[in-house]
Amino acid sequence: MQNRMMITGAGSGLGREIALRWAREGWQLALSDVSEPGLQETLKLVREAGGDGFIQRCDVRDYSQLTAFAQACEEKLGGIDVIVNNAGVASGGFFSELSLEDWDWQIAINLMGVVKGCKAFLPLLEKSKGKIINIASMAALMQGPAMSNYNVAKAGVVALSESLLIELAQQEVGVHVVCPSFFQTNLLDSFRGPTPAMKAQVGKLLESSPITATDIADYIYTQVAAGEFMILPHEQGRMAWALKQKNPQLLYNEMTVMADKMRAKAKQSAN
């Protein structure tokens, strides 16, 4: 381990906070995002925090941009030890309202972006016997209503991570998957959905969360160090996951009630 980390979606939010957490330990960071100004700001903060590194604009939908990023990591840092597939977008809406374009967009970024990140960087990780940290969501485990495309994409990230955990054990490449619940973030900047009411509801959940991206980055840092595969940063999330494993039907019933309430609220907003 030479303390070299790659992060996608590092221009803001959780990606930036992960960069700062590892920067405080003196790591070299390869930062990518679709937002250049965001990246510039993150790199400035990283250097102030005691780390260093470089930035490269990268759209995770484009595999050639990810392989070019991996090549830059090899040229500038001599390789990579940890990759964080964090780039993601938010969306919501009931299944009947979501277009196939909404599905394609969501899967292309939140699922295939992670697949492509793992694929592009795997040769470097096999050399360094490094680690993969994939950022999924509690939505992957709990499947809340009115976000089926997001749920499916994030569940795919968990399934991919489980597959890699097993397949890469022989190569001594570690794998972790993180499933945060709602937290204070700028995820809504990328929100896409059929109704403004849905965006407002998600916004309220994000704002009311007592946990910040900084808290989550801290929790990820300690759990990765402890060798934990599935990282659930929220206590409520851990409780909900335990409940679902014990009594899934109870959870489905609760989610059905929640869906009814959301529909009623959306109707009120429309009138």
Side-chain angles (χ1 to χ4, degrees):
M1 277 264 171
Q2 290 181 42
N3 296 1
R4 302 159 302 186
M5 175 186 259
M6 173 287 269
I7 307 169
T8 63
S12 62
L14 183 57
R16 174 178 287 172
E17 293 303 330
I18 290 170
L20 294 178
R21 182 65 191 84
W22 266 263
R24 290 203 291 278
E25 309 299 322
W27 280 55
Q28 293 281 313
L29 296 152
L31 307 166
S32 79
D33 200 289
V34 288
S35 160
E36 292 242 20
L39 281 176
Q40 298 280 5
E41 178 65 15
T42 301
L43 185 59
K44 180 173 149 281
L45 294 168
V46 155
R47 285 176 175 154
E48 285 167 10
D52 201 3
F54 73 96
I55 59 173
Q56 187 157 319
R57 192 189 177 281
C58 181
D59 184 335
V60 297
R61 289 173 291 186
D62 183 345
Y63 185 61
S64 67
Q65 290 185 32
L66 280 159
T67 53
F69 187 35
Q71 206 176 340
C73 288
E74 195 160 25
E75 285 163 11
K76 294 179 183 185
L77 306 177
I80 211 81
D81 301 290
V82 179
I83 67 165
V84 184
N85 290 304
N86 164 73
V89 289
S91 64
F94 285 100
F95 181 75
S96 56
E97 303 163 337
L98 291 169
S99 68
L100 289 178
E101 285 74 24
D102 290 333
W103 275 89
D104 288 343
W105 176 76
Q106 179 59 236
I107 300 286
I109 298 168
N110 281 6
L111 174 55
M112 289 311 295
V114 177
V115 171
K116 290 170 184 175
C118 290
K119 191 87 177 150
F121 279 84
L122 186 57
L124 294 181
L125 292 171
E126 286 177 334
K127 276 184 200 162
S128 65
K129 303 204 183 311
K131 289 183 169 69
I132 294 169
I133 303 173
N134 290 330
I135 309 295
S137 164
M138 277 310 292
L141 307 176
M142 310 311 289
Q143 288 86 40
M147 48 199 288
S148 56
N149 58 347
Y150 186 79
N151 294 340
V152 168
K154 292 297 191 177
V157 172
V158 171
L160 170 70
S161 305
E162 288 175 333
S163 304
L164 294 178
L165 175 73
I166 297 153
E167 286 188 27
L168 299 178
Q170 203 177 9
Q171 283 93 309
E172 296 176 63
V173 173
V175 180
H176 308 268
V177 65
V178 184
C179 296
S181 310
F182 286 110
F183 61 97
Q184 294 161 24
T185 177
N186 62 336
L187 195 62
L188 276 195
D189 295 353
S190 68
F191 187 90
R192 183 159 154 177
T195 61
M198 193 62 66
K199 183 171 181 172
Q201 282 186 38
V202 175
K204 275 184 192 155
L205 284 167
L206 293 173
E207 281 164 22
S208 65
S209 171
I211 194 165
T212 65
T214 311
D215 300 329
I216 291 173
D218 262 338
Y219 191 81
I220 294 169
Y221 185 86
T222 56
Q223 294 299 296
V224 167
E228 192 68 43
F229 164 66
M230 189 178 281
I231 299 171
L232 310 178
H234 295 69
E235 194 183 349
Q236 272 182 312
R238 295 191 287 273
M239 284 159 60
W241 178 227
L243 168 71
K244 184 178 180 181
Q245 288 172 300
K246 207 162 142 188
N247 190 344
Q249 192 56 52
L250 190 65
L251 194 89
Y252 301 146
N253 295 344
E254 276 198 32
M255 292 290 190
T256 306
V257 171
M258 196 196 290
D260 292 342
K261 282 182 183 166
M262 286 169 91
R263 278 202 183 89
K265 256 192 186 169
K267 258 190 193 156
Q268 274 177 345
S269 307
N271 293 336

